[in-house]
Amino acid sequence: MMFNNIDKNANILRIIIDNSVQDNFALVSSLSRILSDIFDDQSCKAKLGEVINIKKGIEAIINKKVINNLDIAYLIILAGRGYSLREDRNSFYLCDDTAVTPIFEKLTPTKPKLSRNDKIKSAILLTLLDSIEKDDDYILRTLIRTVPEFIERVKGVSYLGRFLSINEWIKMKEEEPDAIWEETEDGGMLKLKNETLVHWVFANLLILQMRGYYLQEVPALSGNSYTFVKKEHP
């Protein structure tokens, strides 16, 4: 199975972290040089074949073509944005009928480590693949219930705090005094002074980032509080 290789999974996650703020055009342009037949507008418009899980789809594509970790990471990012992978008579089509088109701001490039342990990074990737079809509301509710710093955004309230990329927030957590990753049977956790962040939190944060979400500080509240903001083309 493709995603049984811990070192390979860790490398794919690294590429996702570094490229999750690329726009759809850049990702599709890169992929179309390798997988030109996967972007078939007519097949997508006709909705040929059935939609398949991106994890199983990538494994099936690998059985037909030689693709590298960069291609795999780009397929995962596009799937995270709502591109559907269809299979019809042993051919595969990536369709954008339900895709979001995020707007990414020109923020300082920030690349969190997400652990130096490849086993933990592999667990984050596997969790990301399992969660990639979950909708925004489900992921947001889960994160807000789990991480005390995240608060629900209320309509009609003026938020004046600075914007952070999710990568920036993760890097801030990694750089807190005494922050340390601890390996566990199910993947690991980042132990901090005031909270513990498990691997699935990072997987779901990366899904939100690839969909165009940022964090905005809420300075009126005591302590560190952040609310999620999504930026995408209408």
Side-chain angles (χ1 to χ4, degrees), residues 10-28:
N11 182 253
I12 292 168
L13 181 71
R14 176 77 266 156
I15 297 169
I16 289 173
I17 294 166
D18 294 349
N19 292 278
S20 58
V21 293
Q22 282 206 56
D23 61 34
N24 294 356
F25 179 78
L27 300 174
V28 169

Side-chain angles (χ1 to χ4, degrees), residues 145-160:
R145 285 198 302 266
T146 304
V147 181
E149 288 189 9
F150 299 153
I151 61 173
E152 190 169 357
R153 194 171 184 86
V154 179
K155 291 183 179 180
V157 176
S158 178
Y159 294 95
L160 302 174

Side-chain angles (χ1 to χ4, degrees), residues 41-60:
D41 287 342
Q42 293 306 312
S43 296
C44 286
K45 287 177 182 177
K47 297 186 176 180
L48 295 182
E50 64 175 297
V51 176
I52 58 173
N53 175 276
I54 190 63
K55 185 176 177 182
K56 293 180 180 177
I58 288 171
E59 291 174 341

Side-chain angles (χ1 to χ4, degrees), residues 98-158:
T98 60
V100 297
T101 52
I103 298 173
F104 294 110
E105 306 224 337
K106 297 295 183 183
L107 299 173
T108 303
T110 305
K111 298 180 178 181
K113 294 182 178 67
L114 280 177
S115 174
R116 292 187 177 89
N117 185 306
D118 283 356
K119 183 176 180 181
I120 292 173
K121 286 189 279 192
S122 177
I124 294 171
L125 178 69
L126 293 175
T127 305
L128 188 154
L129 286 167
D130 288 339
S131 299
I132 210 164
E133 295 174 359
K134 294 176 180 174
D135 63 34
D136 293 3
D137 288 344
Y138 178 86
I139 292 175
L140 288 167
R141 287 196 309 271
T142 304
L143 288 171
I144 289 168
R145 285 198 302 266
T146 304
V147 181
E149 288 189 9
F150 299 153
I151 61 173
E152 190 169 357
R153 194 171 184 86
V154 179
K155 291 183 179 180
V157 176
S158 178

Side-chain angles (χ1 to χ4, degrees), residues 64-107:
K64 290 185 61 183
K65 295 180 178 289
V66 176
I67 61 174
N68 59 30
N69 289 351
L70 182 68
D71 304 323
I72 294 167
Y74 282 8
L75 284 169
I76 292 170
I77 294 170
L78 289 173
R81 291 182 186 162
Y83 277 73
S84 58
L85 187 64
R86 292 179 170 271
E87 181 179 13
D88 181 54
R89 291 174 293 184
N90 208 29
S91 292
F92 299 92
Y93 310 111
L94 199 63
C95 306
D96 67 353
D97 47 314
T98 60
V100 297
T101 52
I103 298 173
F104 294 110
E105 306 224 337
K106 297 295 183 183
L107 299 173

